[in-house]
Amino acid sequence: MTLLPLKEYKKKRDFGVTPEPEPVPGEGGGRAFVIQKHQASRLHYDLRLEAHGVLKSWAVTKEPPLEPGVKRLAVQVEDHPYDYIDFEGEIPAGQYGAGTVEIWDSGTYRPLLEGEPDKTVAEAIERGALKFSLAGERLKGKYVLYHFDKKGRNWFFFRMKG
Ligand code: MN
């Protein structure tokens, strides 16, 4: 896969002025997110961000924060296929994740890769920190995923001030 940085396109434009789309590194324009409320053996909220054709996924252990000041534990789980983005329904008893899945929020996100315009979302996740803005029905504003437990899969998920 070629991650075209679109340098020439960007060099010619001031995205603070032009209404033309600002390219998002490595994203090919697709920046969907979803949060699925998953009533499994334990209730959690699956946060999924589209990146490079898959959904990078975290199980948030409590309701995602609408406002700054609340940190949620978010356990990174396996990438999910893109088509999972609109999945709702019943996972049958005996199957992995058995229980009810309903979409709790959805919309678009924009990675905030300050100072590193050619870094990709995958690289940011690999390095353990991703800032992004969410434009969902419930969640709006700037959020952070921060990998605080480098030997495990535990991240914090919280809304930034401002
Ligand atoms: Mn789940």
Side-chain angles (χ1 to χ4, degrees):
M1 178 170 57
T2 308
L3 299 175
L4 255 185
L6 296 173
K7 280 196 174 101
E8 189 174 346
Y9 177 92
K10 287 192 286 188
K11 200 165 60 184
K12 292 175 177 170
R13 291 165 175 84
D14 179 349
F15 295 102
V17 179
T18 178
E20 293 171 293
E22 183 173 1
V24 177
E27 288 306 290
R31 301 185 299 274
F33 87 94
V34 68
I35 297 175
Q36 286 150 324
K37 184 176 180 178
H38 187 182
Q39 182 65 70
S41 54
R42 185 172 175 170
L43 174 65
H44 60 273
Y45 296 78
D46 289 306
L47 166 65
R48 307 189 196 281
L49 304 176
E50 179 194 4
H52 316 290
V54 299
L55 300 175
K56 307 302 287 187
S57 298
W58 290 261
V60 181
T61 53
K62 290 183 183 170
E63 189 166 294
L66 301 177
E67 300 297 335
V70 179
K71 273 191 182 133
R72 292 298 190 219
L73 177 64
V75 181
Q76 190 173 17
V77 299
E78 74 276 22
D79 295 348
H80 277 49
Y82 179 75
D83 286 350
Y84 210 92
I85 199 146
D86 56 3
F87 177 75
E88 290 190 292
E90 288 287 327
I91 300 173
Q95 294 297 299
Y96 182 75
T100 306
V101 176
E102 62 180 300
I103 292 175
W104 184 83
D105 199 8
S106 65
T108 57
Y109 81 99
R110 173 176 290 270
L112 302 173
L113 305 171
E114 303 113 353
E116 298 180 85
D118 296 327
K119 189 158 83 175
T120 66
V121 170
E123 284 166 353
I125 291 170
E126 190 64 34
R127 292 182 210 172
L130 178 65
K131 290 183 191 173
F132 51 100
S133 61
L134 287 178
E137 296 294 319
R138 294 181 193 248
L139 300 191
K140 301 173 200 294
K142 293 179 183 173
Y143 281 80
V144 177
L145 277 163
Y146 180 73
H147 190 189
F148 67 90
D149 151 38
K150 299 294 182 196
K151 289 181 183 161
R153 298 171 153 245
N154 294 325
W155 297 55
F156 282 129
F157 176 53
F158 56 93
R159 184 170 170 190
M160 297 166 68
K161 290 183 181 136

